[in-house]
Amino acid sequence: MTKDGRESGRFNIMESIIFGRNKDCDIKITNKTVSKVHCKIAIDQNGHCCLMTISQTNPTSLNGQPITHKDDPVVLRDKDLICLGDRPFKY
C-alpha cells in the first residue's frame, strides 16, 4: 500500500491496520477530514485484504465509490485507490 499514490510511503499489512487521527491508530493521519478512528484494512479468512469503514462522519471511498460503516468489508485489488476524507492511498 502506498501513501498518496507515491512509492515512497509503503505500509505492509500483516494482520490489520487501523487508520485515523487517534494516537493509538497504526497509521496516524493529521487531517480534519479523517476521523479519529476512520477505517481498517484486515486480512480475511481467505487471505484477502479487506477494507472496512469505521467512521460514521467522514467519507471513505474506494475507486471513487463511497463506502460506509454499514457496508460489508470490500476485498481490495492491486492499484485500488482508497480515499480517507481527502487523503488518497493506493493499494
Side-chain angles (χ1 to χ4, degrees):
M1 176 161 208
T2 60
K3 180 180 175 187
D4 296 331
R6 289 180 265 146
E7 293 296 322
S8 61
R10 288 185 175 267
F11 309 107
N12 291 323
I13 302 169
M14 302 307 284
E15 291 181 19
S16 68
I17 296 177
I18 304 272
F19 293 78
R21 288 191 336 252
N22 190 299
K23 65 178 179 65
D24 295 326
C25 290
D26 300 306
I27 304 296
K28 293 165 212 58
I29 305 166
T30 307
N31 184 289
K32 64 184 174 191
T33 67
V34 175
S35 295
K36 289 180 183 177
V37 180
H38 197 100
C39 71
K40 174 180 180 178
I41 295 177
I43 299 173
D44 70 9
Q45 67 273 14
N46 297 315
H48 300 114
C49 285
C50 296
L51 175 65
M52 293 150 271
T53 296
I54 299 168
S55 174
Q56 296 182 33
T57 308
N58 293 313
T60 300
S61 67
L62 179 64
N63 300 320
Q65 299 298 312
I67 56 173
T68 70
H69 68 283
K70 295 179 183 178
D71 293 327
D72 289 332
V74 179
V75 174
L76 295 171
R77 310 248 183 261
D78 192 35
K79 310 251 189 251
D80 274 345
L81 183 63
I82 303 162
C83 287
L84 312 181
D86 64 2
R87 296 295 172 152
F89 294 85
K90 189 181 286 185
Y91 177 75

